[in-house]
Amino acid sequence: TGGASDVTNVDVTCVTSTFTIGGTVTGLLGSGLVLQNNGGDDLPIGADGSFQFATPIASGSTFEVTVLTQPAAPTQTCTVSGGTGTVGASNVTSVAINCTTNRYLIGGTISGLAGTVTLQNNGSDNLDLTSNGTFAFATPVPSGATYSVIVKTQPTAPSQTCTVTAGSGTVTSANVTSVVVTCTTNRYNIGGTLVGLAAGNSITLR
């Protein structure tokens, strides 16, 4: 109520509004994904869907969403789209996290090979080898998937038998280099028939 002098004790206090930062995650299959905003405010993510950081950000301030820890089992790489910007007058819901499963090569070493051998992985990926040393199939296999290396076609000229050890397993987080293929040249008896030898006589063949 106005009195006998100017009123000068009206206080006006302004507070900057704060808003949350979030978005969506797609393609997540592994476990252990952790996101960060502005170098902190860690947020573990367990499945696809929407997410939101716990700490709101003041309007006019910047945000930067990054991946602190990539998923494992299977090993994946998650990338951030729309992860940086300036907070306006509403919650940020446009950050997109896209996860893809890492793929790794299947290979190993072969020894004793004298001809050409055809290996096969998972029933389809064929690989012809003509020399000893290291090898790798052309088609990478996703982390968490299985592999199975077999000999599809044995060598000829000379005839050999190649065997595979450590040829099956589950891909983890690195190229498989432990498959071992060992080839040995086949051996055969030489023989035939003898006719016309008189009784009591003998011969020596060499």
Side-chain angles (χ1 to χ4, degrees):
T1 301
S5 62
D6 294 337
V7 176
T8 60
N9 62 345
V10 177
D11 291 328
V12 179
T13 302
C14 297
V15 177
T16 302
S17 300
T18 60
F19 300 96
T20 58
I21 308 298
T24 56
V25 175
T26 57
L28 179 61
L29 298 175
S31 59
L33 173 62
V34 179
L35 304 179
Q36 265 192 350
N37 184 34
N38 289 340
D41 199 13
D42 295 358
L43 178 62
I45 303 293
D48 283 350
S50 60
F51 69 89
Q52 180 177 288
F53 286 94
T55 303
I57 302 298
S59 177
S61 299
T62 59
F63 64 91
E64 182 180 7
V65 178
T66 58
V67 176
L68 175 64
T69 306
Q70 296 285 1
T75 302
Q76 293 190 288
T77 298
C78 299
T79 57
V80 181
S81 299
T84 60
T86 302
V87 179
S90 61
N91 294 331
V92 175
T93 60
S94 57
V95 180
I97 311 296
N98 298 302
C99 300
T100 57
T101 302
N102 298 338
R103 292 174 172 266
Y104 299 97
L105 295 175
I106 307 300
T109 57
I110 183 170
S111 62
L113 180 63
T116 299
V117 64
T118 301
L119 305 180
Q120 190 178 76
N121 183 36
N122 288 342
S124 61
D125 191 12
N126 294 342
L127 176 62
D128 293 333
L129 297 178
T130 59
S131 61
N132 295 312
T134 61
F135 68 88
F137 288 90
T139 304
V141 176
S143 174
T146 60
Y147 62 93
S148 179
V149 178
I150 62 170
V151 176
K152 182 182 180 183
T153 305
Q154 296 285 0
T156 58
S159 174
Q160 291 190 295
T161 297
C162 299
T163 58
V164 179
T165 56
S168 61
T170 301
V171 179
T172 56
S173 59
N175 292 333
V176 174
T177 60
S178 56
V179 180
V180 177
V181 180
T182 304
C183 300
T184 56
T185 302
N186 298 329
R187 292 176 173 270
Y188 300 96
N189 292 324
I190 307 301
T193 57
L194 173 66
V195 296
L197 182 64
N201 292 335
S202 65
I203 61 172
T204 301
L205 302 180
R206 177 179 295 176

